[in-house]
Amino acid sequence: MVDFPADIYTEPDADVDTLKNLGPLTGMAGIWKSASGEDVHPTAGGPEPQAFIERYELQPIDPQTNGPQLLYGLRYHTHIVKPDSVETFHDQVGYWLWEPATGTIFYTLSIPRAQIAMAVGHAASGAKTFSLEAVRGSETHGIVSNPFLEHSFKTLRVTIDVTIHPGGTWSYEQDTVMVIPGVPDPFHHTDRNTLRKIGEPTPNPLAAHRANPTAQPRSLGIGSLRSR
């Protein structure tokens, strides 16, 4: 059982430079691409392999606090197409988060098939490999699907293994275990890829402001109260 502090409101001091505090996620920050992805998914005729091209962008966010809990992280968007195609094969957004105090990694994912999940794992700050898991029914690292997916492709578990390579690449292997009507055994929907960097990350807003405090924002976005 986790020993949470009695004071659940007081926030800790945080280093504003997220890129210096990402622990095992450090080697993932930036913009990445690969044409060597491998997917195996279910079809009416059985498992079907599919090669894919992936662009994966991970940008640092400002430090986040839940009272005394402190998280550093990367907001990500991955977009996948089949070779020689412009149609989206897979699209996914979410966050990779690192909690230095506990050595916990959180991986949230949301896909436009109306499904979300959060996988959790643990690693040392300097780890180059780590694993995370989301499990059906968990209140802290669970999976939520729309009614059709819950009936037709019930997801039991999602695991993802990440490796940061010394040559400036990183790779993942993901296994989504599903129950499909008419299929006697759980189906393993797998994805794997090795990504190469094509762009550096942009410093998070607080870090950018500290580096250049006189710079004016180009846009304050929706909801801005700045006078025109």
Side-chain angles (χ1 to χ4, degrees):
M1 182 176 179
V2 178
D3 185 18
F4 293 116
D7 179 0
I8 61 172
Y9 296 102
T10 301
E11 298 180 356
D13 293 329
D15 183 350
V16 300
D17 193 340
T18 294
L19 288 171
K20 293 181 179 179
N21 293 277
L22 287 170
L25 305 179
T26 300
M28 298 167 63
I31 305 172
W32 308 79
K33 193 171 184 180
S34 172
S36 58
E38 301 174 12
D39 170 272
V40 178
H41 58 272
T43 70
E48 180 176 277
Q50 175 63 60
F52 64 80
I53 297 169
E54 180 171 18
R55 183 185 186 277
Y56 205 133
E57 182 167 357
L58 299 107
Q59 297 289 359
I61 61 172
D62 286 338
Q64 302 293 303
T65 57
N66 296 311
Q69 184 182 44
L70 174 61
L71 302 167
Y72 294 96
L74 298 165
R75 179 182 61 251
Y76 76 86
H77 174 212
T78 180
H79 183 75
I80 293 174
V81 297
K82 298 178 182 179
D84 303 317
S85 176
V86 297
E87 181 182 2
T88 298
F89 181 56
H90 182 77
D91 195 86
Q92 183 176 312
V93 297
Y95 294 91
W96 286 91
L97 302 170
W98 166 243
E99 185 179 17
T102 63
T104 304
I105 302 171
F106 301 93
Y107 167 54
T108 70
L109 64 92
S110 177
I111 62 175
R113 295 184 176 91
Q115 187 176 50
I116 59 175
M118 183 167 76
V120 177
H122 293 85
S125 178
K128 300 301 181 184
T129 62
F130 49 87
S131 300
L132 300 92
E133 180 181 60
V135 180
R136 173 182 171 80
S138 171
E139 294 181 349
T140 58
H141 52 289
I143 302 159
V144 179
S145 306
N146 82 65
F148 173 78
L149 288 180
E150 183 68 11
H151 169 265
S152 304
F153 301 94
K154 187 188 304 291
T155 301
L156 302 181
R157 176 177 283 101
V158 179
T159 58
I160 182 166
D161 301 317
V162 173
T163 301
I164 311 297
H165 302 288
T169 65
W170 69 278
S171 60
Y172 67 84
E173 295 189 12
Q174 183 167 310
D175 182 12
T176 302
V177 184
M178 300 183 292
V179 173
I180 303 173
V183 178
D185 299 316
F187 185 93
H188 291 259
H189 179 174
T190 60
D191 294 278
R192 58 175 52 90
N193 205 355
T194 297
L195 296 132
R196 299 184 181 277
K197 183 176 282 188
I198 60 171
E200 295 297 328
T202 301
N204 56 290
L206 281 175
H209 178 74
R210 184 176 67 178
N212 188 7
T214 61
Q216 295 296 317
R218 295 182 180 180
S219 173
L220 297 182
I222 297 175
S224 168
L225 298 179
R226 182 181 180 182
S227 60
R228 298 181 182 275

Short mmCIF file of all heavy atoms in Angstrom, two decimals, residues 100-157:
data_model
loop_
_atom_site.label_atom_id
_atom_site.label_comp_id
_atom_site.label_asym_id
_atom_site.label_seq_id
_atom_site.Cartn_x
_atom_site.Cartn_y
_atom_site.Cartn_z
N PRO A 100 9.22 11.34 -10.36
CA PRO A 100 10.54 11.05 -9.79
C PRO A 100 10.48 10.48 -8.37
O PRO A 100 11.29 9.61 -8.01
CB PRO A 100 11.23 12.42 -9.80
CG PRO A 100 10.52 13.22 -10.83
CD PRO A 100 9.11 12.75 -10.78
N ALA A 101 9.54 10.93 -7.56
CA ALA A 101 9.51 10.52 -6.16
C ALA A 101 9.26 9.03 -5.98
O ALA A 101 9.73 8.42 -5.01
CB ALA A 101 8.44 11.31 -5.41
N THR A 102 8.53 8.42 -6.91
CA THR A 102 8.18 7.00 -6.78
C THR A 102 8.75 6.13 -7.89
O THR A 102 8.58 4.90 -7.85
CB THR A 102 6.64 6.83 -6.79
OG1 THR A 102 6.13 7.28 -8.06
CG2 THR A 102 6.00 7.63 -5.67
N GLY A 103 9.40 6.74 -8.89
CA GLY A 103 9.91 5.97 -10.02
C GLY A 103 8.82 5.38 -10.88
O GLY A 103 8.99 4.32 -11.48
N THR A 104 7.68 6.07 -10.94
CA THR A 104 6.53 5.57 -11.69
C THR A 104 6.43 6.25 -13.05
O THR A 104 6.61 7.46 -13.17
CB THR A 104 5.23 5.80 -10.91
OG1 THR A 104 5.33 5.21 -9.62
CG2 THR A 104 4.03 5.20 -11.64
N ILE A 105 6.11 5.46 -14.07
CA ILE A 105 5.83 5.96 -15.41
C ILE A 105 4.35 5.73 -15.70
O ILE A 105 3.83 4.63 -15.48
CB ILE A 105 6.67 5.25 -16.49
CG1 ILE A 105 8.16 5.41 -16.19
CG2 ILE A 105 6.35 5.81 -17.88
CD1 ILE A 105 9.04 4.55 -17.08
N PHE A 106 3.67 6.76 -16.17
CA PHE A 106 2.27 6.67 -16.59
C PHE A 106 2.20 6.92 -18.09
O PHE A 106 2.83 7.85 -18.61
CB PHE A 106 1.42 7.72 -15.87
CG PHE A 106 1.43 7.61 -14.37
CD1 PHE A 106 2.33 8.35 -13.62
CD2 PHE A 106 0.52 6.80 -13.71
CE1 PHE A 106 2.34 8.27 -12.24
CE2 PHE A 106 0.52 6.72 -12.33
CZ PHE A 106 1.44 7.45 -11.59
N TYR A 107 1.42 6.10 -18.79
CA TYR A 107 1.25 6.22 -20.23
C TYR A 107 -0.24 6.23 -20.52
O TYR A 107 -0.94 5.24 -20.31
CB TYR A 107 1.94 5.04 -20.91
CG TYR A 107 1.64 4.79 -22.36
CD1 TYR A 107 1.81 5.79 -23.33
CD2 TYR A 107 1.24 3.53 -22.80
CE1 TYR A 107 1.56 5.53 -24.67
CE2 TYR A 107 1.00 3.26 -24.14
CZ TYR A 107 1.16 4.27 -25.06
OH TYR A 107 0.92 4.01 -26.40
N THR A 108 -0.76 7.40 -20.92
CA THR A 108 -2.18 7.50 -21.24
C THR A 108 -2.36 7.46 -22.75
O THR A 108 -1.52 7.97 -23.49
CB THR A 108 -2.80 8.78 -20.67
OG1 THR A 108 -2.31 9.92 -21.40
CG2 THR A 108 -2.48 8.95 -19.20
N LEU A 109 -3.43 6.84 -23.19
CA LEU A 109 -3.68 6.77 -24.63
C LEU A 109 -5.16 6.94 -24.91
O LEU A 109 -6.03 6.50 -24.15
CB LEU A 109 -3.17 5.45 -25.22
CG LEU A 109 -3.79 4.14 -24.76
CD1 LEU A 109 -4.94 3.72 -25.66
CD2 LEU A 109 -2.75 3.04 -24.72
N SER A 110 -5.43 7.62 -26.01
CA SER A 110 -6.80 7.82 -26.48
C SER A 110 -6.80 7.68 -27.98
O SER A 110 -5.97 8.29 -28.67
CB SER A 110 -7.29 9.21 -26.07
OG SER A 110 -8.59 9.45 -26.57
N ILE A 111 -7.71 6.85 -28.50
CA ILE A 111 -7.79 6.65 -29.94
C ILE A 111 -9.20 6.98 -30.43
O ILE A 111 -10.17 6.85 -29.67
CB ILE A 111 -7.41 5.21 -30.34
CG1 ILE A 111 -8.37 4.18 -29.72
CG2 ILE A 111 -5.97 4.91 -29.93
CD1 ILE A 111 -8.12 2.76 -30.18
N PRO A 112 -9.32 7.42 -31.70
CA PRO A 112 -10.63 7.86 -32.20
C PRO A 112 -11.57 6.72 -32.58
O PRO A 112 -12.45 6.89 -33.41
CB PRO A 112 -10.25 8.72 -33.41
CG PRO A 112 -8.96 8.17 -33.88
CD PRO A 112 -8.24 7.72 -32.66
N ARG A 113 -11.36 5.57 -31.97
CA ARG A 113 -12.35 4.49 -32.03
C ARG A 113 -13.16 4.46 -30.74
O ARG A 113 -13.83 3.48 -30.45
CB ARG A 113 -11.66 3.15 -32.28
CG ARG A 113 -10.95 3.05 -33.63
CD ARG A 113 -10.38 1.65 -33.84
NE ARG A 113 -9.78 1.51 -35.15
CZ ARG A 113 -8.50 1.74 -35.42
NH1 ARG A 113 -7.69 2.14 -34.44
NH2 ARG A 113 -8.02 1.59 -36.64
N ALA A 114 -13.04 5.54 -29.96
CA ALA A 114 -13.72 5.67 -28.67
C ALA A 114 -13.20 4.62 -27.69
O ALA A 114 -13.96 3.80 -27.15
CB ALA A 114 -15.23 5.58 -28.83
N GLN A 115 -11.90 4.70 -27.44
CA GLN A 115 -11.27 3.83 -26.46
C GLN A 115 -10.13 4.58 -25.79
O GLN A 115 -9.39 5.33 -26.46
CB GLN A 115 -10.74 2.55 -27.10
CG GLN A 115 -10.23 1.51 -26.11
CD GLN A 115 -9.81 0.23 -26.80
OE1 GLN A 115 -9.07 0.26 -27.77
NE2 GLN A 115 -10.31 -0.90 -26.30
N ILE A 116 -10.00 4.43 -24.47
CA ILE A 116 -8.93 5.07 -23.72
C ILE A 116 -8.34 4.07 -22.74
O ILE A 116 -8.97 3.07 -22.38
CB ILE A 116 -9.41 6.32 -22.95
CG1 ILE A 116 -10.51 5.95 -21.96
CG2 ILE A 116 -9.90 7.40 -23.91
CD1 ILE A 116 -10.97 7.09 -21.08
N ALA A 117 -7.10 4.33 -22.31
CA ALA A 117 -6.46 3.46 -21.34
C ALA A 117 -5.32 4.21 -20.66
O ALA A 117 -4.84 5.23 -21.17
CB ALA A 117 -5.92 2.19 -22.00
N MET A 118 -4.90 3.71 -19.49
CA MET A 118 -3.70 4.21 -18.84
C MET A 118 -2.88 3.03 -18.37
O MET A 118 -3.36 2.19 -17.60
CB MET A 118 -4.01 5.13 -17.67
CG MET A 118 -2.74 5.71 -17.05
SD MET A 118 -3.04 7.08 -15.90
CE MET A 118 -3.65 6.17 -14.48
N ALA A 119 -1.64 2.95 -18.86
CA ALA A 119 -0.71 1.90 -18.45
C ALA A 119 0.29 2.49 -17.45
O ALA A 119 0.65 3.66 -17.53
CB ALA A 119 0.01 1.32 -19.66
N VAL A 120 0.75 1.65 -16.53
CA VAL A 120 1.64 2.09 -15.46
C VAL A 120 2.81 1.12 -15.33
O VAL A 120 2.64 -0.10 -15.48
CB VAL A 120 0.88 2.19 -14.12
CG1 VAL A 120 1.83 2.59 -12.99
CG2 VAL A 120 -0.26 3.21 -14.22
N GLY A 121 3.99 1.67 -15.07
CA GLY A 121 5.16 0.85 -14.81
C GLY A 121 6.12 1.58 -13.90
O GLY A 121 5.88 2.73 -13.52
N HIS A 122 7.22 0.93 -13.54
CA HIS A 122 8.22 1.52 -12.67
C HIS A 122 9.61 1.32 -13.27
O HIS A 122 9.88 0.31 -13.93
CB HIS A 122 8.16 0.91 -11.28
CG HIS A 122 6.89 1.25 -10.54
ND1 HIS A 122 5.73 0.53 -10.69
CD2 HIS A 122 6.62 2.24 -9.66
CE1 HIS A 122 4.79 1.05 -9.94
NE2 HIS A 122 5.29 2.10 -9.31
N ALA A 123 10.49 2.29 -13.04
CA ALA A 123 11.84 2.22 -13.57
C ALA A 123 12.75 3.15 -12.79
O ALA A 123 12.28 4.10 -12.15
CB ALA A 123 11.87 2.58 -15.06
N ALA A 124 14.04 2.90 -12.88
CA ALA A 124 15.02 3.82 -12.31
C ALA A 124 15.12 5.04 -13.22
O ALA A 124 14.79 4.98 -14.42
CB ALA A 124 16.37 3.14 -12.19
N SER A 125 15.61 6.14 -12.68
CA SER A 125 15.69 7.38 -13.44
C SER A 125 16.51 7.23 -14.72
O SER A 125 16.18 7.79 -15.75
CB SER A 125 16.28 8.50 -12.57
OG SER A 125 16.42 9.69 -13.30
N GLY A 126 17.58 6.46 -14.65
CA GLY A 126 18.45 6.30 -15.81
C GLY A 126 18.18 5.07 -16.65
O GLY A 126 18.97 4.72 -17.53
N ALA A 127 17.05 4.42 -16.43
CA ALA A 127 16.74 3.17 -17.14
C ALA A 127 16.61 3.40 -18.64
O ALA A 127 16.08 4.41 -19.08
CB ALA A 127 15.45 2.57 -16.59
N LYS A 128 17.09 2.44 -19.40
CA LYS A 128 16.97 2.48 -20.86
C LYS A 128 15.93 1.49 -21.38
O LYS A 128 15.64 1.48 -22.58
CB LYS A 128 18.33 2.18 -21.49
CG LYS A 128 19.42 3.17 -21.11
CD LYS A 128 19.06 4.60 -21.50
CE LYS A 128 20.16 5.57 -21.13
NZ LYS A 128 19.79 6.99 -21.42
N THR A 129 15.39 0.69 -20.51
CA THR A 129 14.29 -0.20 -20.86
C THR A 129 13.26 -0.16 -19.73
O THR A 129 13.64 -0.06 -18.56
CB THR A 129 14.75 -1.66 -21.06
OG1 THR A 129 15.29 -2.17 -19.85
CG2 THR A 129 15.80 -1.75 -22.16
N PHE A 130 11.99 -0.22 -20.09
CA PHE A 130 10.94 -0.27 -19.08
C PHE A 130 9.67 -0.83 -19.70
O PHE A 130 9.50 -0.82 -20.92
CB PHE A 130 10.68 1.11 -18.45
CG PHE A 130 10.50 2.23 -19.44
CD1 PHE A 130 9.26 2.52 -19.98
CD2 PHE A 130 11.58 3.01 -19.83
CE1 PHE A 130 9.08 3.56 -20.87
CE2 PHE A 130 11.42 4.06 -20.72
CZ PHE A 130 10.17 4.34 -21.24
N SER A 131 8.80 -1.34 -18.83
CA SER A 131 7.56 -1.97 -19.26
C SER A 131 6.38 -1.39 -18.49
O SER A 131 6.51 -1.05 -17.31
CB SER A 131 7.61 -3.48 -19.03
OG SER A 131 8.69 -4.07 -19.75
N LEU A 132 5.24 -1.28 -19.16
CA LEU A 132 4.03 -0.76 -18.54
C LEU A 132 2.87 -1.67 -18.89
O LEU A 132 2.90 -2.39 -19.89
CB LEU A 132 3.74 0.66 -19.02
CG LEU A 132 4.79 1.73 -18.74
CD1 LEU A 132 5.74 1.85 -19.93
CD2 LEU A 132 4.15 3.08 -18.47
N GLU A 133 1.81 -1.59 -18.05
CA GLU A 133 0.67 -2.46 -18.25
C GLU A 133 -0.63 -1.75 -17.86
O GLU A 133 -0.68 -1.04 -16.86
CB GLU A 133 0.83 -3.73 -17.41
CG GLU A 133 -0.31 -4.73 -17.54
CD GLU A 133 -0.11 -5.95 -16.66
OE1 GLU A 133 -0.02 -5.77 -15.43
OE2 GLU A 133 -0.06 -7.06 -17.20
N ALA A 134 -1.66 -1.96 -18.67
CA ALA A 134 -3.03 -1.58 -18.34
C ALA A 134 -3.87 -2.85 -18.31
O ALA A 134 -3.69 -3.73 -19.16
CB ALA A 134 -3.59 -0.60 -19.37
N VAL A 135 -4.78 -2.94 -17.34
CA VAL A 135 -5.55 -4.16 -17.14
C VAL A 135 -7.03 -3.83 -17.04
O VAL A 135 -7.43 -2.88 -16.34
CB VAL A 135 -5.09 -4.89 -15.86
CG1 VAL A 135 -5.90 -6.17 -15.66
CG2 VAL A 135 -3.61 -5.20 -15.93
N ARG A 136 -7.83 -4.61 -17.70
CA ARG A 136 -9.28 -4.44 -17.64
C ARG A 136 -9.76 -4.50 -16.20
O ARG A 136 -9.39 -5.37 -15.42
CB ARG A 136 -9.94 -5.55 -18.47
CG ARG A 136 -11.45 -5.60 -18.35
CD ARG A 136 -12.00 -6.77 -19.16
NE ARG A 136 -13.40 -6.95 -18.89
CZ ARG A 136 -14.38 -6.22 -19.43
NH1 ARG A 136 -14.07 -5.27 -20.29
NH2 ARG A 136 -15.65 -6.44 -19.13
N GLY A 137 -10.58 -3.53 -15.80
CA GLY A 137 -11.17 -3.51 -14.48
C GLY A 137 -10.38 -2.79 -13.42
O GLY A 137 -10.89 -2.56 -12.32
N SER A 138 -9.13 -2.39 -13.73
CA SER A 138 -8.33 -1.70 -12.73
C SER A 138 -8.82 -0.27 -12.55
O SER A 138 -9.19 0.40 -13.51
CB SER A 138 -6.85 -1.67 -13.15
OG SER A 138 -6.09 -0.84 -12.30
N GLU A 139 -8.79 0.21 -11.31
CA GLU A 139 -9.17 1.59 -11.02
C GLU A 139 -8.00 2.55 -11.19
O GLU A 139 -8.20 3.77 -11.20
CB GLU A 139 -9.72 1.69 -9.59
CG GLU A 139 -11.03 0.94 -9.38
CD GLU A 139 -11.57 1.09 -7.98
OE1 GLU A 139 -10.82 1.60 -7.10
OE2 GLU A 139 -12.73 0.71 -7.74
N THR A 140 -6.79 2.04 -11.31
CA THR A 140 -5.60 2.91 -11.41
C THR A 140 -4.80 2.74 -12.68
O THR A 140 -3.99 3.60 -13.02
CB THR A 140 -4.66 2.65 -10.21
OG1 THR A 140 -4.28 1.26 -10.21
CG2 THR A 140 -5.33 3.02 -8.90
N HIS A 141 -4.99 1.66 -13.39
CA HIS A 141 -4.32 1.48 -14.69
C HIS A 141 -5.23 0.61 -15.57
O HIS A 141 -4.92 -0.52 -15.89
CB HIS A 141 -2.92 0.88 -14.53
CG HIS A 141 -2.85 -0.38 -13.72
ND1 HIS A 141 -3.02 -0.41 -12.37
CD2 HIS A 141 -2.62 -1.67 -14.08
CE1 HIS A 141 -2.90 -1.65 -11.92
NE2 HIS A 141 -2.67 -2.43 -12.94
N GLY A 142 -6.36 1.21 -15.94
CA GLY A 142 -7.42 0.46 -16.59
C GLY A 142 -7.65 0.80 -18.05
O GLY A 142 -6.88 1.54 -18.67
N ILE A 143 -8.73 0.25 -18.58
CA ILE A 143 -9.10 0.35 -20.00
C ILE A 143 -10.59 0.63 -20.08
O ILE A 143 -11.39 -0.03 -19.38
CB ILE A 143 -8.78 -0.97 -20.74
CG1 ILE A 143 -7.29 -1.33 -20.62
CG2 ILE A 143 -9.21 -0.88 -22.20
CD1 ILE A 143 -7.00 -2.80 -20.88
N VAL A 144 -10.99 1.59 -20.91
CA VAL A 144 -12.41 1.88 -21.12
C VAL A 144 -12.69 1.90 -22.62
O VAL A 144 -12.01 2.58 -23.38
CB VAL A 144 -12.81 3.24 -20.51
CG1 VAL A 144 -14.28 3.52 -20.75
CG2 VAL A 144 -12.51 3.26 -19.01
N SER A 145 -13.72 1.14 -23.04
CA SER A 145 -14.05 1.00 -24.45
C SER A 145 -15.51 1.34 -24.69
O SER A 145 -16.36 1.21 -23.80
CB SER A 145 -13.79 -0.44 -24.92
OG SER A 145 -12.48 -0.86 -24.64
N ASN A 146 -15.82 1.73 -25.94
CA ASN A 146 -17.22 1.98 -26.27
C ASN A 146 -17.97 0.65 -26.35
O ASN A 146 -17.36 -0.42 -26.42
CB ASN A 146 -17.31 2.80 -27.56
CG ASN A 146 -17.18 1.96 -28.82
OD1 ASN A 146 -18.02 1.11 -29.11
ND2 ASN A 146 -16.12 2.20 -29.59
N PRO A 147 -19.32 0.68 -26.31
CA PRO A 147 -20.08 -0.57 -26.21
C PRO A 147 -19.79 -1.58 -27.33
O PRO A 147 -19.76 -2.79 -27.06
CB PRO A 147 -21.54 -0.09 -26.26
CG PRO A 147 -21.50 1.28 -25.67
CD PRO A 147 -20.19 1.87 -26.16
N PHE A 148 -19.58 -1.12 -28.57
CA PHE A 148 -19.31 -2.07 -29.64
C PHE A 148 -17.98 -2.78 -29.42
O PHE A 148 -17.89 -4.01 -29.56
CB PHE A 148 -19.29 -1.38 -31.00
CG PHE A 148 -18.85 -2.30 -32.11
CD1 PHE A 148 -19.74 -3.22 -32.65
CD2 PHE A 148 -17.55 -2.27 -32.59
CE1 PHE A 148 -19.32 -4.10 -33.65
CE2 PHE A 148 -17.13 -3.13 -33.58
CZ PHE A 148 -18.02 -4.05 -34.12
N LEU A 149 -16.93 -2.02 -29.08
CA LEU A 149 -15.63 -2.65 -28.84
C LEU A 149 -15.70 -3.57 -27.62
O LEU A 149 -15.06 -4.63 -27.60
CB LEU A 149 -14.55 -1.59 -28.63
CG LEU A 149 -14.13 -0.80 -29.87
CD1 LEU A 149 -13.06 0.23 -29.50
CD2 LEU A 149 -13.63 -1.72 -30.97
N GLU A 150 -16.45 -3.17 -26.61
CA GLU A 150 -16.58 -3.99 -25.42
C GLU A 150 -17.22 -5.34 -25.77
O GLU A 150 -16.86 -6.38 -25.20
CB GLU A 150 -17.42 -3.26 -24.37
CG GLU A 150 -17.57 -3.99 -23.06
CD GLU A 150 -16.28 -4.10 -22.27
OE1 GLU A 150 -15.27 -3.44 -22.62
OE2 GLU A 150 -16.26 -4.87 -21.29
N HIS A 151 -18.14 -5.34 -26.72
CA HIS A 151 -18.79 -6.58 -27.14
C HIS A 151 -17.94 -7.39 -28.11
O HIS A 151 -17.80 -8.61 -27.98
CB HIS A 151 -20.14 -6.28 -27.79
CG HIS A 151 -20.76 -7.47 -28.47
ND1 HIS A 151 -20.59 -7.71 -29.83
CD2 HIS A 151 -21.51 -8.50 -28.00
CE1 HIS A 151 -21.22 -8.82 -30.16
NE2 HIS A 151 -21.78 -9.32 -29.07
N SER A 152 -17.37 -6.71 -29.11
CA SER A 152 -16.77 -7.42 -30.24
C SER A 152 -15.27 -7.64 -30.10
O SER A 152 -14.74 -8.63 -30.63
CB SER A 152 -17.05 -6.63 -31.53
OG SER A 152 -18.44 -6.43 -31.71
N PHE A 153 -14.58 -6.73 -29.44
CA PHE A 153 -13.12 -6.83 -29.28
C PHE A 153 -12.77 -6.41 -27.85
O PHE A 153 -12.13 -5.39 -27.64
CB PHE A 153 -12.40 -5.95 -30.29
CG PHE A 153 -12.72 -6.28 -31.74
CD1 PHE A 153 -13.73 -5.60 -32.41
CD2 PHE A 153 -12.05 -7.29 -32.41
CE1 PHE A 153 -14.05 -5.90 -33.73
CE2 PHE A 153 -12.35 -7.60 -33.72
CZ PHE A 153 -13.36 -6.91 -34.39
N LYS A 154 -13.22 -7.20 -26.89
CA LYS A 154 -13.06 -6.87 -25.48
C LYS A 154 -11.58 -6.89 -25.10
O LYS A 154 -10.93 -7.94 -25.17
CB LYS A 154 -13.85 -7.84 -24.61
CG LYS A 154 -13.89 -7.48 -23.13
CD LYS A 154 -14.52 -8.59 -22.31
CE LYS A 154 -15.89 -8.96 -22.78
NZ LYS A 154 -16.88 -7.91 -22.53
N THR A 155 -11.04 -5.75 -24.69
CA THR A 155 -9.62 -5.67 -24.36
C THR A 155 -9.41 -6.06 -22.90
O THR A 155 -9.98 -5.45 -21.99
CB THR A 155 -9.09 -4.25 -24.61
OG1 THR A 155 -9.29 -3.91 -25.99
CG2 THR A 155 -7.61 -4.17 -24.29
N LEU A 156 -8.56 -7.06 -22.71
CA LEU A 156 -8.26 -7.54 -21.36
C LEU A 156 -7.02 -6.88 -20.77
O LEU A 156 -6.96 -6.61 -19.58
CB LEU A 156 -8.03 -9.06 -21.38
CG LEU A 156 -9.16 -9.94 -21.91
CD1 LEU A 156 -8.75 -11.40 -21.83
CD2 LEU A 156 -10.45 -9.70 -21.13
N ARG A 157 -6.03 -6.64 -21.63
CA ARG A 157 -4.75 -6.16 -21.13
C ARG A 157 -3.99 -5.49 -22.26
O ARG A 157 -4.06 -5.90 -23.41
CB ARG A 157 -3.93 -7.32 -20.56
CG ARG A 157 -2.53 -6.98 -20.09
CD ARG A 157 -1.82 -8.18 -19.48
NE ARG A 157 -2.31 -8.45 -18.12
CZ ARG A 157 -3.17 -9.39 -17.78
NH1 ARG A 157 -3.66 -10.19 -18.73
NH2 ARG A 157 -3.56 -9.54 -16.55
#
